[in-house]
Amino acid sequence: MLKDLKELFWMIKWRIEMRIIRLGWYLYTLLVPKRLKFLFDDDDDEDYGAKFFGKLATSVPVLFVLYMWFRSYTPFGLWEFWHMPENWVNLFQRYWMLFAWGVIIQSIVSFTGYNSPQENDNAERFLIKGFLKSAFAGVTEEISYRWLFFLSAIPGVRIANWFFFGFAGFGISEWFFLHVVGPIASIFSLHWMDAIFFHSAGWFVGAALVSTNAFFRDGHKYQGITGLVNSWYGGLVLFHVAINHGLPAAIVLHTSFNVTVHLVAYVDMLIERTFLGRTRSY
């Protein structure tokens, strides 16, 4: 019985996801001009733009229904994260380790290998394109992952828990998060996120955050193990920023982090081109 129920759940989930991707692909081709499609480039997933718009298209109606008729299902107001931090200087000082981590990791990646001569020749073009993608990712990913996807995931994990014996008073999803996923995530984040993982409103806040951050992490799989680690811990930091200091602060920090990483990569290209002579004429 339990096996049949599980198979039914995954079949329904798969069909829903396929329809979401189709909807997203339609919106992607309709709304994004060809000259801007590089902003959605993903070396590992050609359907990234479709998935992004599909997820976005489903989150909005979910939130509409949630805040119109089921407001008690979430502890957060719809616009609760939309406020400015009290002090921008203090914000950057508090989260300096995010930039230090980015500089160290990108330096290791950039300076322990060589770029292609073509990349070095087009270093300035790479930098400008990187700045555009940084700003785009900072705005769209924070609005989507740290706001829309996170808030819409809260009723999602609660409904899934109800189907898996939550109606009988023993929800498998709730138990699994409180006794397995939550404690593991807490240990690997050095207990820094415990106030959110084990939120006073209920287990579903932490479960929604972890599932959304996992989705954010999976979007960076093409970057290898470094990308997975960066996106997981970076995503947690940005969730901490958004919830405690506001979404605009998370947008600015995310954009600044990406710009910093592209600057390090640009310096490496410039050094190879200027001092090592690694150009197409080499």
Side-chain angles (χ1 to χ4, degrees), residues 169-233:
F170 181 76
I172 294 178
S173 298
E174 178 180 359
W175 183 92
F176 194 69
F177 177 79
L178 290 176
H179 294 88
V180 181
V181 176
I184 292 175
S186 175
I187 291 172
F188 279 96
S189 60
L190 303 177
H191 305 287
W192 191 57
M193 296 284 293
D194 282 5
I196 305 175
F197 284 156
F198 307 106
H199 198 276
S200 58
W203 66 275
F204 44 83
V205 173
L209 187 151
V210 169
S211 63
T212 304
N213 202 53
F215 183 56
F216 176 70
R217 175 206 62 202
D218 289 345
H220 298 78
K221 288 188 296 185
Y222 68 94
Q223 297 173 347
I225 186 64
T226 302
L228 289 174
V229 173
N230 279 345
S231 56
W232 172 257
Y233 284 104

Side-chain angles (χ1 to χ4, degrees), residues 64-236:
F64 176 79
V65 173
L66 175 66
Y67 285 96
M68 282 293 293
W69 294 290
F70 302 97
R71 177 62 182 81
S72 61
Y73 261 64
T74 177
F76 301 109
L78 180 59
W79 305 104
E80 186 170 334
F81 301 154
W82 285 94
H83 61 85
M84 293 293 181
E86 294 182 0
N87 189 304
W88 284 99
V89 175
N90 290 344
L91 180 75
F92 276 86
Q93 289 177 341
R94 181 174 185 182
Y95 295 97
W96 64 269
M97 70 284 190
L98 180 67
F99 299 94
W101 173 264
V103 170
I104 292 172
I105 296 301
Q106 186 58 45
S107 296
I108 293 174
V109 172
S110 295
F111 292 101
T112 55
Y114 289 105
N115 307 307
S116 69
Q118 291 80 6
E119 287 176 326
N120 295 332
D121 281 341
N122 294 292
E124 286 72 26
R125 184 178 180 181
F126 165 85
L127 185 64
I128 293 173
K129 186 177 179 179
F131 282 173
L132 291 175
K133 295 189 73 171
S134 296
F136 181 79
V139 174
T140 58
E141 289 186 359
E142 292 311 304
I143 290 177
S144 56
Y145 289 99
R146 251 61 70 179
W147 184 43
L148 297 176
F149 298 169
F150 171 56
L151 292 182
S152 61
I154 292 177
V157 297
R158 297 190 71 177
I159 292 172
N161 185 64
W162 186 88
F163 276 107
F164 285 96
F165 303 105
F167 61 87
F170 181 76
I172 294 178
S173 298
E174 178 180 359
W175 183 92
F176 194 69
F177 177 79
L178 290 176
H179 294 88
V180 181
V181 176
I184 292 175
S186 175
I187 291 172
F188 279 96
S189 60
L190 303 177
H191 305 287
W192 191 57
M193 296 284 293
D194 282 5
I196 305 175
F197 284 156
F198 307 106
H199 198 276
S200 58
W203 66 275
F204 44 83
V205 173
L209 187 151
V210 169
S211 63
T212 304
N213 202 53
F215 183 56
F216 176 70
R217 175 206 62 202
D218 289 345
H220 298 78
K221 288 188 296 185
Y222 68 94
Q223 297 173 347
I225 186 64
T226 302
L228 289 174
V229 173
N230 279 345
S231 56
W232 172 257
Y233 284 104
L236 290 181

